Amino acid sequence: MQDTDELYREYSTQVYKFVFSFCHNHLLAEEITQETFYRAIKSIHRYDGTCKVYVWLCQIAKHVWYQELDKQNKRKTDPLEDSSLSESSHSTESQFILAQEKMDLFKQLHLLDPHTKEVMYLRMTGEFSFREIGEILGRDETWARVTFYRGKQKLMKGRMS
């Protein structure tokens, strides 16, 4: 089996395109792609070589996608969530402002160096702990913390100017 970094470099774009074909959402496709490789690395000992690595990764990605759909469906049918209350509490204007701020944040994130960007995405969208981020990226927890902190500083600097 290939080194995990090499595996990611070789197949991440293909897996991303595969996932994007299902969800048609760039951020969600990136998130699912990251989760796919995280799960693949965790279960690499179960890969038996009966299919191509790409096929194996796509099977994992499809499974992650189905789990995401289940989560979304559960959120929609949650009886405790009263959509009329949440809609009335947020005006259209404030929702627009929040959407713009979120868009600006992700535009700034996109400008960061690849390692920092990856740490930021894993922490912000994947909600991984620093220990888990270090594990995923083959580094230690301290490296993940420092990289995240420096990334936040760069983002804050960009927002101030």
Side-chain angles (χ1 to χ4, degrees):
M1 191 49 135
Q2 301 159 316
D3 180 26
T4 54
D5 287 344
E6 184 183 317
L7 187 74
Y8 182 79
R9 275 192 299 276
E10 187 172 339
Y11 296 104
S12 62
T13 304
Q14 291 173 298
V15 171
Y16 170 82
K17 288 177 181 178
F18 176 76
V19 172
F20 185 77
S21 72
F22 291 122
C23 67
H24 305 288
N25 178 317
H26 292 290
L27 293 176
L28 184 58
E30 285 181 15
E31 186 177 330
I32 291 173
T33 301
Q34 293 297 324
E35 180 66 20
T36 298
F37 279 92
Y38 174 71
R39 290 185 186 187
I41 291 166
K42 276 179 48 177
S43 63
I44 204 154
H45 62 280
R46 289 190 285 184
Y47 175 71
D48 59 3
T50 56
C51 63
K52 292 181 180 181
V53 175
Y54 173 69
V55 173
W56 178 65
L57 290 168
C58 286
Q59 289 170 341
I60 296 170
K62 189 165 50 170
H63 182 72
V64 173
W65 166 243
Y66 288 145
Q67 287 180 326
E68 178 62 29
L69 286 177
D70 286 343
K71 273 194 252 179
Q72 289 176 5
N73 286 336
K74 285 178 185 174
R75 279 188 226 131
K76 286 179 185 174
T77 59
D78 187 359
L80 298 175
E81 184 178 301
D82 185 0
S83 61
S84 63
L85 283 176
S86 64
E87 285 176 20
S88 64
S89 65
H90 296 294
S91 71
T92 305
E93 182 180 335
S94 64
Q95 287 177 352
F96 176 77
I97 291 169
L98 285 173
Q100 285 299 111
E101 288 175 352
K102 188 175 179 181
M103 177 79 85
D104 291 342
L105 173 65
F106 279 98
K107 282 180 182 177
Q108 288 181 346
L109 269 173
H110 186 71
L111 299 174
L112 296 173
D113 64 275
H115 290 297
T116 305
K117 183 177 9 177
E118 196 166 19
V119 169
M120 299 295 284
Y121 279 135
L122 288 171
R123 183 71 177 168
M124 293 167 51
T125 60
E127 298 177 0
F128 289 101
S129 69
F130 291 114
R131 182 188 55 75
E132 292 170 324
I133 292 170
E135 193 176 306
I136 291 168
L137 300 176
R139 304 288 183 110
D140 62 10
E141 180 178 347
T142 305
W143 176 86
R145 283 183 187 278
V146 169
T147 304
F148 183 78
Y149 175 77
R150 289 178 181 163
K152 267 191 353 186
Q153 295 302 314
K154 288 177 185 175
L155 290 176
M156 294 301 277
K157 223 182 266 185
R159 288 192 149 200
M160 298 298 174
S161 55

